Amino acid sequence: MTLLIRNIGEFFTGELARPTAPVKSILIADGRIAAIDPPDDQAKADKVLDVAGGAVMPGLVDGHVHPTFGEWTPAQDAIGWIGNYLHGGTTSMISAGELHIPGIDYDNLTPELVTSLAVVTAATTGRVRWSGVKLYAGTVLAVPGMTEAHFDRLAAAGVKWVKFIFYPFKDDTTEALNYVRWSRARGMRVKVHTGGVSRSGSSVVCGYNILSWLQPDVAAHVSGGPIPMSDEDIDATVDHTAFALEVCSSQNYRSTARVVARLIAKNQLHRLTMGTDTPGGTGVIPRGMLRNVLYFASMCNLTPGQAIAVATGNTARAHGVDVGILDVGRPADVVVCGPITGSAGTTLADAIAHGDLPGITHVLIDGELAVTDRSRQTPPPAKRAFFCCCSTGQFEARGV
Ligand SMILES: [Zn+2]
């Protein structure tokens, strides 16, 4: 199956270095982008999606979610959250730990239990594409007493992320640093909870002191999840480390503005990543990633293209997943959208710069239509994309 997306008015690449490009059409084949602006004789496709001058961007990558079992989350007694996030433009999600399992005793986690939880989740919730979304789940919650054999078992089960949240950091750093070393030797990446105590009540406070020696791959929700580290620690972390810094919907908005301003001033925006840190106490937020983009672009001095690149290419790269960038050979995870009737923006970039929510019509994951005609979570955009048959010029029904 091949698909041509044409009549593109605004194209967002997901690459921070070049966040927009004057692209008019993309050809998708076998789930990947086969060509950008193909010449007319190579632009034949089984289906043609005319986006009517609207915008095309990469599917959003939520770098911080807390799944439990498939589409069910006990954190807010909700079913179908992943499908709802898809309709908010999210096509990939990375688990920051499956810590909402009913009955879990945070104060008595053992190496066997946390390893088993990650293995079971990778083999169940992480095995299936719920609502089509790429959910990378099965993230182990590091606890004291783990041995290299536990990391062998995790790697064999396909676990890719290790999360420090309930780990009681001590003056002796040997064990935690062993975990980081063992993880990286097996292709796993390390994320650490930062800031004050989490909703669990059992996480430890983590600021620059711990980050400076632990050197994780990603420091989670550095502007609050929900309580941020101190301003001094934020500044030191930006100035004296080089790893990725994540901002989440669980944020303290004032601290986020501080983090982003300092990253811009230090020319370090490539380190900024984004997530929702949901489901959780912050809720279930289908439009959470979009709202983060809007906050960055309307209140934190990022251009709309930069804000989208942080929510896509930056976040994917920091987590080692091959999504978030629209280029030849990349997975065709695509959001088609535009400004909503009544918005201050006449273009998508203009609307985002004003902080106005975009309207989504179509979402593709690996070239397959996951949302068709319009999102059930956003108003429709003023200009609606539609399928047409290029050979006959006849339009297919646009549906409801
Ligand atoms: Zn979290």
Side-chain angles (χ1 to χ4, degrees):
M1 179 67 81
T2 54
L3 171 69
L4 181 73
I5 300 179
R6 74 175 186 194
N7 206 2
I8 299 171
E10 295 168 88
F11 186 80
F12 297 88
T13 64
E15 277 278 19
L16 191 67
R18 185 173 175 257
T20 59
V23 169
K24 294 293 169 208
S25 65
I26 56 174
L27 182 66
I28 294 167
D30 300 325
R32 289 183 178 262
I33 296 174
I36 288 180
D37 282 333
D40 284 351
D41 61 329
Q42 290 166 36
K44 301 282 184 286
D46 301 320
K47 281 187 163 184
V48 176
L49 180 61
D50 188 314
V51 301
V56 164
M57 67 163 82
L60 301 170
V61 182
D62 188 336
H64 195 129
V65 295
H66 290 295
T68 300
F69 293 122
E71 292 263 18
W72 174 60
T73 173
Q76 294 295 341
D77 295 333
I79 293 267
W81 70 275
I82 298 172
N84 290 337
Y85 281 42
L86 165 73
H87 282 252
T90 296
T91 55
S92 292
M93 306 173 164
I94 294 122
S95 172
E98 297 86 23
L99 41 72
H100 295 144
I101 292 183
I104 193 168
D105 181 358
Y106 299 123
D107 297 324
N108 289 292
L109 297 174
T110 64
E112 272 308 297
L113 180 64
V114 296
T115 302
S116 300
L117 276 179
V119 169
V120 168
T121 306
T124 54
T125 298
R127 188 182 69 83
V128 173
R129 286 198 182 178
W130 306 93
S131 301
V133 171
K134 296 172 178 174
L135 170 60
Y136 303 92
T139 295
V140 70
L141 303 163
V143 296
M146 296 173 78
T147 65
E148 205 157 359
H150 290 108
F151 287 80
D152 283 336
R153 192 176 155 214
L154 291 162
V159 167
K160 295 287 185 215
W161 290 277
V162 177
K163 173 82 178 291
F164 285 91
I165 174 167
F166 303 124
Y167 187 85
F169 292 107
K170 301 261 171 52
D171 290 340
D172 183 353
T173 61
T174 310
E175 184 181 65
L177 288 175
N178 276 341
Y179 289 5
V180 174
R181 197 159 45 83
W182 295 340
S183 299
R184 292 195 179 133
R186 290 160 180 79
M188 300 184 216
R189 298 193 183 206
V190 175
K191 179 175 280 192
V192 59
H193 171 98
T194 72
V197 170
S198 73
R199 188 175 73 139
S200 66
S202 297
S203 63
V204 298
V205 177
C206 174
Y208 175 70
N209 264 349
I210 292 171
L211 293 172
S212 64
W213 60 260
L214 186 67
Q215 296 285 323
D217 296 292
V218 182
H221 46 60
V222 292
S223 61
I227 304 301
M229 61 182 91
S230 69
D231 287 351
E232 295 71 29
D233 278 21
I234 285 175
D235 294 351
T237 301
V238 172
D239 293 356
H240 304 305
T241 69
F243 44 76
L245 305 180
E246 176 187 80
V247 165
C248 288
S249 303
S250 52
Q251 67 201 291
N252 170 318
Y253 290 105
R254 192 195 60 82
S255 296
T256 296
R258 188 179 188 96
V259 170
V260 177
R262 203 161 183 99
L263 286 169
I264 291 172
K266 303 271 175 179
N267 199 21
Q268 297 276 299
L269 266 187
H270 60 278
R271 299 168 61 193
L272 186 59
T273 78
M274 198 189 287
T276 59
D277 193 8
T278 63
T282 305
V284 168
I285 323 177
R287 304 193 302 221
M289 284 297 288
L290 286 174
R291 292 186 59 80
N292 290 340
V293 167
L294 301 178
Y295 181 61
F296 277 0
S298 66
M299 300 298 289
C300 297
N301 296 315
L302 265 64
T303 67
Q306 286 175 324
I308 291 169
V310 168
T312 56
N314 267 22
T315 299
R317 188 182 297 113
H319 293 86
V321 289
D322 177 33
V323 297
I325 287 170
L326 298 183
D327 202 355
V328 173
R330 293 284 193 156
D333 298 352
V334 176
V335 173
V336 178
C337 54
I340 293 163
T341 302
S343 165
T346 52
T347 64
L348 185 78
D350 199 13
I352 289 175
H354 275 89
D356 280 352
L357 184 78
I360 293 172
T361 57
H362 296 78
V363 180
L364 293 96
I365 300 177
D366 286 341
E368 300 280 334
L369 279 162
V371 174
T372 304
D373 199 51
R374 67 160 290 190
S375 158
R376 63 175 185 246
Q377 299 294 349
T378 72
K383 287 186 271 186
R384 298 274 286 271
F386 57 91
F387 277 99
C388 62
C389 175
C390 49
S391 55
T392 65
Q394 289 178 335
F395 300 129
E396 290 178 16
R398 284 174 61 172
V400 185

